[in-house]
Amino acid sequence: MSDEENLVDPSHPRYHSLMIRKKVAAAGEKGMLADSAMIAHGRGEAFDYLIGEQTIPSALAATKEVAARLLRARKPVLSLNGNAIALASQEFLTIASQLNCPIEINIFYRTPERMGALLAHLKLMNTKLGLDVEILGGVPDARIPGLEGPRGACQSSGIFEADTVLVPLEDGDRCEALVGMGKEVLVIDLNPLSRSSKRGTVTVVDEVTRFAKNLIQIIPERPPATEWNNIQGLQSALNHITETMANKFV
Ligand code: PTJ
Protein backbone atom coordinates (compact mmCIF):
# COMPACT_ATOMS: atom_id res chain seq x y z
CA MET A 1 0.00 0.00 0.00
CA SER A 2 1.35 3.47 -0.90
CA ASP A 3 1.87 6.25 1.67
CA GLU A 4 -1.09 8.11 0.23
CA GLU A 5 -3.38 5.07 0.52
CA ASN A 6 -2.43 4.82 4.19
CA LEU A 7 -3.68 8.36 4.66
CA VAL A 8 -7.27 7.31 3.86
CA ASP A 9 -8.99 6.32 7.09
CA PRO A 10 -11.02 3.09 6.54
CA SER A 11 -13.73 4.53 8.80
CA HIS A 12 -14.32 7.40 6.36
CA PRO A 13 -17.93 7.08 5.11
CA ARG A 14 -16.77 7.23 1.51
CA TYR A 15 -13.65 5.08 1.97
CA HIS A 16 -14.40 2.74 -0.95
CA SER A 17 -15.05 5.63 -3.30
CA LEU A 18 -11.75 7.28 -2.29
CA MET A 19 -9.84 4.03 -2.77
CA ILE A 20 -11.33 3.56 -6.24
CA ARG A 21 -10.25 7.11 -7.10
CA LYS A 22 -6.73 6.23 -6.00
CA LYS A 23 -6.65 3.32 -8.45
CA VAL A 24 -7.30 5.81 -11.27
CA ALA A 25 -4.58 8.14 -9.97
CA ALA A 26 -2.05 5.27 -9.73
CA ALA A 27 -2.80 4.08 -13.28
CA GLY A 28 -2.39 7.67 -14.50
CA GLU A 29 1.08 7.77 -12.97
CA LYS A 30 1.97 4.60 -14.89
CA GLY A 31 1.03 6.27 -18.19
CA MET A 32 -2.03 4.07 -18.77
CA LEU A 33 -4.68 6.77 -18.91
CA ALA A 34 -5.96 9.62 -21.04
CA ASP A 35 -5.45 13.16 -19.68
CA SER A 36 -9.20 13.42 -19.17
CA ALA A 37 -9.53 10.07 -17.37
CA MET A 38 -9.99 11.58 -13.92
CA ILE A 39 -12.64 13.98 -15.23
CA ALA A 40 -14.53 11.05 -16.75
CA HIS A 41 -14.17 9.22 -13.45
CA GLY A 42 -15.48 12.24 -11.53
CA ARG A 43 -18.52 12.35 -13.75
CA GLY A 44 -19.13 8.72 -12.92
CA GLU A 45 -18.64 9.39 -9.18
CA ALA A 46 -21.32 12.06 -9.26
CA PHE A 47 -23.87 9.63 -10.72
CA ASP A 48 -22.72 6.90 -8.34
CA TYR A 49 -23.42 9.24 -5.44
CA LEU A 50 -26.93 9.76 -6.78
CA ILE A 51 -27.65 6.02 -7.01
CA GLY A 52 -26.31 5.52 -3.47
CA GLU A 53 -23.01 3.80 -4.42
CA GLN A 54 -24.83 0.46 -4.68
CA THR A 55 -26.06 -1.92 -7.37
CA ILE A 56 -29.69 -0.94 -7.87
CA PRO A 57 -32.28 -3.59 -8.87
CA SER A 58 -32.49 -2.49 -12.52
CA ALA A 59 -28.67 -2.73 -12.78
CA LEU A 60 -28.68 -6.26 -11.38
CA ALA A 61 -31.35 -7.28 -13.91
CA ALA A 62 -29.27 -5.71 -16.70
CA THR A 63 -26.14 -7.53 -15.47
CA LYS A 64 -28.03 -10.86 -15.72
CA GLU A 65 -29.03 -9.94 -19.27
CA VAL A 66 -25.41 -9.10 -20.11
CA ALA A 67 -24.32 -12.50 -18.75
CA ALA A 68 -26.98 -14.24 -20.83
CA ARG A 69 -26.00 -12.45 -24.04
CA LEU A 70 -22.27 -12.98 -23.55
CA LEU A 71 -22.92 -16.69 -22.96
CA ARG A 72 -25.07 -17.11 -26.07
CA ALA A 73 -22.77 -15.03 -28.31
CA ARG A 74 -20.96 -16.76 -31.16
CA LYS A 75 -17.94 -14.47 -30.85
CA PRO A 76 -17.94 -12.23 -27.77
CA VAL A 77 -15.15 -9.77 -26.92
CA LEU A 78 -14.50 -7.51 -23.94
CA SER A 79 -13.39 -4.10 -25.25
CA LEU A 80 -11.48 -2.31 -22.48
CA ASN A 81 -10.29 1.29 -22.32
CA GLY A 82 -7.83 2.91 -19.91
CA ASN A 83 -10.29 3.55 -17.07
CA ALA A 84 -11.79 0.05 -17.20
CA ILE A 85 -8.32 -1.52 -17.05
CA ALA A 86 -7.25 0.78 -14.20
CA LEU A 87 -10.31 -0.12 -12.14
CA ALA A 88 -11.11 -3.76 -12.86
CA SER A 89 -8.40 -5.54 -14.88
CA GLN A 90 -8.37 -8.55 -12.55
CA GLU A 91 -12.15 -8.95 -12.75
CA PHE A 92 -12.28 -8.58 -16.55
CA LEU A 93 -9.51 -11.14 -17.02
CA THR A 94 -11.52 -13.53 -14.83
CA ILE A 95 -14.67 -12.88 -16.89
CA ALA A 96 -12.81 -13.40 -20.19
CA SER A 97 -11.48 -16.68 -18.82
CA GLN A 98 -14.98 -17.80 -17.73
CA LEU A 99 -16.30 -17.02 -21.23
CA ASN A 100 -13.19 -18.21 -23.06
CA CYS A 101 -13.16 -14.98 -25.07
CA PRO A 102 -10.48 -12.36 -25.81
CA ILE A 103 -10.02 -8.92 -24.33
CA GLU A 104 -9.26 -6.16 -26.82
CA ILE A 105 -7.69 -2.93 -25.61
CA ASN A 106 -9.52 -0.24 -27.55
CA ILE A 107 -8.90 3.33 -26.46
CA PHE A 108 -10.27 6.65 -27.56
CA TYR A 109 -7.01 8.60 -27.10
CA ARG A 110 -4.68 6.07 -28.73
CA THR A 111 -0.92 6.57 -28.44
CA PRO A 112 1.81 3.90 -28.71
CA GLU A 113 2.96 4.75 -25.17
CA ARG A 114 -0.47 4.23 -23.63
CA MET A 115 -1.08 1.03 -25.60
CA GLY A 116 2.30 -0.31 -24.42
CA ALA A 117 1.54 0.50 -20.77
CA LEU A 118 -1.96 -1.02 -20.93
CA LEU A 119 -0.81 -4.18 -22.73
CA ALA A 120 2.04 -4.66 -20.23
CA HIS A 121 -0.35 -4.22 -17.30
CA LEU A 122 -2.89 -6.73 -18.60
CA LYS A 123 -0.22 -9.28 -19.50
CA LEU A 124 1.30 -8.98 -16.02
CA MET A 125 -2.11 -9.45 -14.36
CA ASN A 126 -2.85 -12.42 -16.67
CA THR A 127 0.35 -14.11 -15.46
CA LYS A 128 -0.24 -13.19 -11.81
CA LEU A 129 -3.72 -14.74 -11.93
CA GLY A 130 -2.40 -17.86 -13.70
CA LEU A 131 -4.73 -17.22 -16.66
CA ASP A 132 -4.15 -17.45 -20.38
CA VAL A 133 -6.58 -14.84 -21.72
CA GLU A 134 -5.87 -13.65 -25.27
CA ILE A 135 -5.12 -9.90 -25.18
CA LEU A 136 -5.75 -8.11 -28.49
CA GLY A 137 -5.44 -4.51 -29.64
CA GLY A 138 -1.67 -4.19 -29.99
CA VAL A 139 -1.57 -4.89 -33.73
CA PRO A 140 -4.71 -3.39 -35.28
CA ASP A 141 -5.49 -4.60 -38.79
CA ALA A 142 -9.07 -3.37 -39.23
CA ARG A 143 -11.14 -0.24 -38.75
CA ILE A 144 -14.48 0.51 -37.12
CA PRO A 145 -16.38 2.18 -40.00
CA GLY A 146 -17.29 5.81 -39.31
CA LEU A 147 -14.58 6.47 -36.72
CA GLU A 148 -11.76 8.56 -38.13
CA GLY A 149 -8.17 8.57 -36.83
CA PRO A 150 -6.43 6.27 -34.33
CA ARG A 151 -9.58 5.67 -32.28
CA GLY A 152 -11.12 3.66 -35.13
CA ALA A 153 -8.30 1.09 -35.10
CA CYS A 154 -9.27 -2.43 -34.04
CA GLN A 155 -8.30 -6.05 -34.60
CA SER A 156 -10.08 -8.27 -37.12
CA SER A 157 -10.02 -11.35 -34.87
CA GLY A 158 -11.45 -9.25 -32.01
CA ILE A 159 -13.88 -6.34 -32.16
CA PHE A 160 -14.20 -6.32 -35.96
CA GLU A 161 -15.54 -9.88 -36.25
CA ALA A 162 -17.28 -10.04 -32.85
CA ASP A 163 -21.07 -10.34 -32.73
CA THR A 164 -21.25 -9.11 -29.11
CA VAL A 165 -19.02 -6.46 -27.55
CA LEU A 166 -18.90 -5.45 -23.89
CA VAL A 167 -17.90 -1.80 -23.61
CA PRO A 168 -17.45 -0.26 -20.16
CA LEU A 169 -17.29 3.58 -20.06
CA GLU A 170 -17.64 3.90 -23.80
CA ASP A 171 -17.84 7.16 -25.72
CA GLY A 172 -21.06 7.73 -27.63
CA ASP A 173 -19.53 7.80 -31.10
CA ARG A 174 -17.91 4.42 -30.80
CA CYS A 175 -20.97 2.86 -29.24
CA GLU A 176 -23.04 4.12 -32.16
CA ALA A 177 -20.45 2.88 -34.67
CA LEU A 178 -20.44 -0.62 -33.13
CA VAL A 179 -24.24 -0.75 -33.13
CA GLY A 180 -24.06 0.42 -36.77
CA MET A 181 -21.89 -2.65 -37.54
CA GLY A 182 -24.82 -4.82 -36.40
CA LYS A 183 -23.27 -5.94 -33.12
CA GLU A 184 -24.95 -6.39 -29.75
CA VAL A 185 -23.31 -3.69 -27.62
CA LEU A 186 -23.35 -4.20 -23.85
CA VAL A 187 -22.64 -0.90 -22.10
CA ILE A 188 -21.61 -0.16 -18.52
CA ASP A 189 -22.15 3.50 -17.66
CA LEU A 190 -23.19 5.24 -14.46
CA ASN A 191 -24.88 7.98 -16.49
CA PRO A 192 -28.25 6.67 -17.71
CA LEU A 193 -28.58 9.71 -19.97
CA SER A 194 -25.31 9.33 -21.90
CA ARG A 195 -25.41 8.64 -25.62
CA SER A 196 -23.71 5.27 -25.06
CA SER A 197 -26.33 4.32 -22.48
CA LYS A 198 -29.13 5.19 -24.86
CA ARG A 199 -27.59 3.52 -27.91
CA GLY A 200 -26.44 0.30 -26.23
CA THR A 201 -28.34 -2.98 -26.67
CA VAL A 202 -28.19 -3.58 -22.91
CA THR A 203 -26.96 -0.88 -20.52
CA VAL A 204 -25.93 -1.53 -16.94
CA VAL A 205 -26.14 1.66 -14.86
CA ASP A 206 -23.58 0.62 -12.26
CA GLU A 207 -20.02 1.29 -11.21
CA VAL A 208 -17.72 -0.83 -13.38
CA THR A 209 -15.98 -2.60 -10.47
CA ARG A 210 -19.27 -3.57 -8.81
CA PHE A 211 -20.64 -4.68 -12.19
CA ALA A 212 -17.62 -6.89 -12.91
CA LYS A 213 -17.74 -8.56 -9.48
CA ASN A 214 -21.48 -9.26 -9.93
CA LEU A 215 -20.95 -10.65 -13.42
CA ILE A 216 -18.34 -13.13 -12.16
CA GLN A 217 -20.97 -14.49 -9.73
CA ILE A 218 -23.78 -14.57 -12.31
CA ILE A 219 -22.02 -16.24 -15.29
CA PRO A 220 -21.93 -19.73 -13.68
CA GLU A 221 -25.72 -19.48 -13.13
CA ARG A 222 -26.13 -19.28 -16.94
CA PRO A 223 -29.25 -17.07 -16.96
CA PRO A 224 -31.43 -17.13 -20.10
CA ALA A 225 -31.60 -14.11 -22.44
CA THR A 226 -34.88 -12.18 -22.52
CA GLU A 227 -36.55 -9.66 -24.82
CA TRP A 228 -34.65 -6.79 -23.19
CA ASN A 229 -36.17 -3.30 -23.31
CA ASN A 230 -33.16 -1.05 -22.78
CA ILE A 231 -35.05 2.23 -22.56
CA GLN A 232 -37.26 0.76 -19.85
CA GLY A 233 -34.14 -0.29 -17.92
CA LEU A 234 -32.68 3.22 -18.22
CA GLN A 235 -35.97 4.75 -17.12
CA SER A 236 -35.93 2.53 -14.00
CA ALA A 237 -32.43 3.75 -13.16
CA LEU A 238 -33.49 7.37 -13.65
CA ASN A 239 -36.61 6.80 -11.53
CA HIS A 240 -34.42 5.39 -8.77
CA ILE A 241 -32.30 8.57 -8.82
CA THR A 242 -35.21 10.99 -8.85
CA GLU A 243 -37.23 9.10 -6.19
CA THR A 244 -34.20 8.87 -3.88
CA MET A 245 -33.53 12.58 -4.33
CA ALA A 246 -37.18 13.53 -3.83
CA ASN A 247 -37.19 11.95 -0.36
CA LYS A 248 -33.72 13.08 0.69
CA PHE A 249 -34.72 15.71 3.24
CA VAL A 250 -38.05 14.29 4.36
O1 PTJ B 1 -8.92 5.25 -22.28
P1 PTJ B 1 -9.58 6.06 -23.36
O2 PTJ B 1 -8.60 6.80 -24.22
O3 PTJ B 1 -10.54 5.23 -24.18
O4 PTJ B 1 -10.46 7.23 -22.66
C1 PTJ B 1 -11.40 6.88 -21.72
C2 PTJ B 1 -12.28 8.07 -21.28
C3 PTJ B 1 -13.14 7.52 -20.15
C4 PTJ B 1 -11.40 9.20 -20.77
C5 PTJ B 1 -13.13 8.55 -22.46
O5 PTJ B 1 -13.82 7.47 -23.02
C6 PTJ B 1 -14.09 9.63 -22.04
O6 PTJ B 1 -13.81 10.81 -22.07
O7 PTJ B 1 -15.27 9.17 -21.62
P2 PTJ B 1 -16.53 10.12 -21.30
O8 PTJ B 1 -17.12 10.62 -22.57
O9 PTJ B 1 -16.18 11.09 -20.21
O10 PTJ B 1 -17.55 9.06 -20.72
C7 PTJ B 1 -17.27 8.30 -19.60
C8 PTJ B 1 -18.61 7.76 -19.07
O11 PTJ B 1 -18.30 6.75 -18.14
C9 PTJ B 1 -19.44 8.82 -18.32
O12 PTJ B 1 -20.79 8.74 -18.76
C10 PTJ B 1 -19.31 8.44 -16.85
O13 PTJ B 1 -20.53 8.67 -16.14
C11 PTJ B 1 -19.04 6.95 -16.92
N1 PTJ B 1 -18.18 6.47 -15.83
C12 PTJ B 1 -17.09 7.05 -15.31
N2 PTJ B 1 -16.54 6.29 -14.35
C13 PTJ B 1 -17.29 5.17 -14.28
C14 PTJ B 1 -18.34 5.26 -15.23
N3 PTJ B 1 -19.25 4.30 -15.40
C15 PTJ B 1 -19.13 3.19 -14.65
N4 PTJ B 1 -18.15 3.03 -13.72
C16 PTJ B 1 -17.21 3.97 -13.51
N5 PTJ B 1 -16.26 3.79 -12.61
Side-chain angles (χ1 to χ4, degrees):
M1 200 181 266
S2 73
D3 289 349
E4 219 187 305
E5 278 172 2
N6 282 325
L7 290 175
V8 182
D9 180 351
S11 68
H12 190 287
R14 304 201 52 258
Y15 176 75
H16 290 293
S17 174
L18 293 173
M19 294 309 282
I20 290 176
R21 190 184 293 177
K22 288 196 174 301
K23 275 191 172 180
V24 180
E29 281 165 20
K30 289 184 195 155
M32 287 159 54
L33 300 183
D35 290 345
S36 55
M38 193 58 99
I39 294 173
H41 183 72
R43 190 150 29 149
E45 274 190 353
F47 280 100
D48 205 18
Y49 193 82
L50 294 178
I51 64 170
E53 294 174 344
Q54 58 178 326
T55 300
I56 59 176
S58 59
L60 192 59
T63 305
K64 285 186 183 156
E65 189 65 28
V66 164
R69 290 178 185 236
L70 285 169
L71 284 161
R72 83 167 178 193
R74 182 183 43 81
K75 216 163 184 261
V77 64
L78 313 184
S79 168
L80 300 187
N81 68 4
N83 287 46
I85 292 171
L87 292 174
S89 52
Q90 190 167 324
E91 287 82 0
F92 282 118
L93 283 162
T94 304
I95 292 163
S97 164
Q98 285 175 309
L99 296 166
N100 196 20
C101 79
I103 284 177
E104 179 161 343
I105 303 175
N106 192 253
I107 58 179
F108 187 91
Y109 301 106
R110 190 183 176 106
T111 65
E113 294 76 17
R114 280 193 65 207
M115 283 302 295
L118 290 165
L119 280 164
H121 179 78
L122 274 189
K123 283 181 183 162
L124 183 70
M125 294 301 293
N126 217 359
T127 309
K128 271 193 181 167
L129 293 170
L131 300 175
D132 189 23
V133 173
E134 190 182 6
I135 315 279
L136 304 173
V139 276
D141 58 355
R143 294 203 59 83
I144 302 172
L147 287 184
E148 300 308 319
R151 71 187 176 130
C154 71
Q155 217 155 314
S156 53
S157 59
I159 289 174
F160 193 79
E161 286 173 5
D163 58 344
T164 304
V165 192
L166 181 86
V167 284
L169 284 80
E170 189 55 272
D171 73 279
D173 280 0
R174 190 158 32 197
C175 180
E176 261 173 27
L178 293 172
V179 171
M181 290 172 84
K183 301 179 191 302
E184 290 217 328
V185 181
L186 311 173
V187 171
I188 323 304
D189 193 331
L190 278 159
N191 177 3
L193 298 169
S194 77
R195 215 150 39 98
S196 305
S197 287
K198 290 191 277 192
R199 287 310 311 271
T201 317
V202 180
T203 300
V204 183
V205 180
D206 202 1
E207 200 282 319
V208 70
T209 319
R210 284 198 305 268
F211 158 80
K213 288 186 196 306
N214 288 337
L215 188 61
I216 290 170
Q217 300 302 317
I218 292 169
I219 285 172
E221 295 168 10
R222 304 191 75 83
T226 68
E227 292 289 319
W228 183 256
N229 182 332
N230 205 40
I231 294 301
Q232 205 173 302
L234 292 174
Q235 186 64 58
S236 296
L238 205 53
N239 291 349
H240 179 93
I241 292 173
T242 51
E243 282 158 21
T244 312
M245 290 303 112
N247 296 318
K248 202 79 186 168
F249 302 109
V250 177

